[in-house]
């Protein structure tokens, strides 16, 4: 993985800096392989340094790419930065990830001879384009999550609370090898499904409801993300109609994903389908987001996106319709952008399923 850091080092002159301090842990993990909770990377003209404290020295010895020189610092890792800088005068920091107080401390430690320069999105830009090996990890995380859902649905939903079902799904994921859920599982039945980010409640799932399940597994450091909406019996006609519309819109969205398309273009296609169907006011969120080491990362597919897709991006396509007080439907797949379209990682079927 040291090639990633060399690529990053090549971008530093363009960003107006001669050294870069990487403190966001997902970025540290991407560059070094380190998965602990205290660590930083410093890229200077002189070297590639990784700093952690005594608690993580052994873990770092196993995980950190040998292209880095490893250092052990006091718990405040920044104290090591001035000596490692070795004369670099313009030090870039990650403006989106550093607190004001950390910035202040860093300035005091480095002194007047070093100028702190804000940078944004340098590592994230590299992370947005997945290597074949990263795609393989995302595919494995997705398959694991898919298998966990099948185990859950085989047990049935009616008579269990949303919370019980969410816990059961997370426990299935862990039982078959997930490090952890990649975010807090959403299980939302009936009217509760009209809240896109519903927290599972201690409320029983009843027959004849739509149940939105949004879940993901983290495996080898990479996240999966998928949503399915299932029925627990015969539905009112409008619920069926909305399901059919969301499914058609989701398929439209998948077909719009290709290199060169903007996040704005791709978002617009399913949004138009939903508006034509008469539900334009009920799809209030963006169409999708990048997924990788983090569950939400660039690029974005939305009405305010400034991103353009390239091969190797991994994004979700997740339109939804939410009718307050009644029900919600969302269908989400995870896809990798290929040279001429996209490859769908998710394997769970999308036709409406009825689960007792
Ligand atoms: Zn999701
Ligand atoms: Zn998502």
């Amino acid at each position: 993985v040291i090639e990633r850091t060399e690529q990053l080092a090549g971008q530093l002159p363009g960003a107006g800096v001669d050294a870069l301090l990487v403190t966001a842990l997902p970025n540290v993990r991407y560059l070094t392989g380190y998965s602990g909770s205290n660590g930083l990377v410093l890229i200077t003209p002189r070297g590639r340094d990784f700093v952690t404290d005594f608690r993580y020295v052994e873990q770092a010895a196993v995980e950190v790419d040998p292209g880095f020189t490893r250092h052990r610092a006091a718990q405040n890792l920044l104290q090591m930065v001035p000596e490692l800088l070795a004369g670099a005068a313009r030090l870039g920091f990650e403006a989106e990830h550093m607190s004001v107080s950390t910035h202040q401390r860093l300035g005091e430690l480095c002194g007047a001879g070093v100028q702190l320069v804000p940078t944004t999105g340098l590592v994230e830009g590299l992370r947005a384009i997945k290597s074949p090996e990263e795609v393989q990890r995302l595919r494995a995380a997705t398959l694991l999550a898919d298998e966990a859902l099948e185990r859950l649905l085989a047990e049935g939903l009616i008579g269990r609370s949303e919370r019980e079902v969410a816990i059961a799904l997370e426990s299935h994921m862990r039982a078959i090898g997930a490090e952890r859920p990649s975010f807090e599982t959403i299980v939302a039945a009936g009217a509760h499904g009209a809240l896109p980010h519903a927290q599972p409640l201690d409320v029983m799932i009843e027959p004849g409801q739509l149940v939105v399940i949004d879940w993901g597994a983290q495996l080898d450091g990479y996240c999966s993300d998928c949503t399915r909406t299932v029925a627990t019996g015969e539905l009112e006609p409008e619920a069926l109609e909305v399901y059919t519309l969301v499914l058609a819109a989701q398929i439209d969205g998948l077909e719009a994903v290709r290199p060169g398309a903007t996040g704005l273009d791709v978002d617009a296609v399913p949004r138009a389908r939903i508006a034509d169907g008469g539900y334009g006011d009920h799809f209030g969120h963006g169409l999708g987001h990048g997924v990788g080491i983090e569950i939400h990362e660039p690029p974005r597919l939305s009405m305010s996106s400034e991103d353009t897709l390239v091969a190797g991006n991994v994004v979700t396509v997740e339109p939804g319709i939410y009718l307050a007080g009644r029900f919600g439907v969302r269908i989400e797949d995870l896809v990798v952008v290929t040279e001429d379209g996209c490859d769908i990682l998710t394997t769970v079927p999308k036709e409406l399923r009825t689960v007792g």
Side-chain angles (χ1 to χ4, degrees), residues 17-30:
V17 300
D18 46 16
L20 180 68
L21 175 63
V22 178
T23 50
L25 286 169
N27 290 343
V28 171
R29 184 167 191 168
Y30 176 77

Side-chain angles (χ1 to χ4, degrees), residues 202-284:
D202 285 311
V203 168
M204 291 299 167
I205 297 172
E206 292 168 16
Q209 291 184 315
L210 280 172
V211 185
V212 178
I213 305 176
D214 190 347
W215 80 110
Q218 190 185 321
L219 182 63
D220 279 336
Y222 284 77
C223 296
S224 78
D225 190 5
C226 179
T227 305
R228 288 295 180 263
T229 303
V230 301
T232 53
E234 204 178 325
L235 298 174
E236 56 176 304
E238 193 177 356
L240 267 181
E241 192 185 303
V242 165
Y243 189 93
T244 307
L245 181 58
V246 172
L247 180 55
Q250 204 264 350
I251 292 167
D252 286 351
L254 293 173
E255 284 171 359
V257 172
R258 73 181 85 84
T262 65
L264 206 64
D265 295 339
V266 179
D267 176 273
V269 177
R271 199 169 294 285
R273 164 87 75 157
I274 287 172
D276 288 349
Y279 291 93
D281 294 337
H282 301 278
F283 173 25

Side-chain angles (χ1 to χ4, degrees), residues 183 186 214-215 225-227 289 295-296 316 318 330 332:
F183 55 92
I186 295 171
D214 190 347
W215 80 110
D225 190 5
C226 179
T227 305
H289 53 88
I295 187 64
H296 293 117
T316 67
E318 51 179 308
R330 179 166 68 255
E332 172 179 30

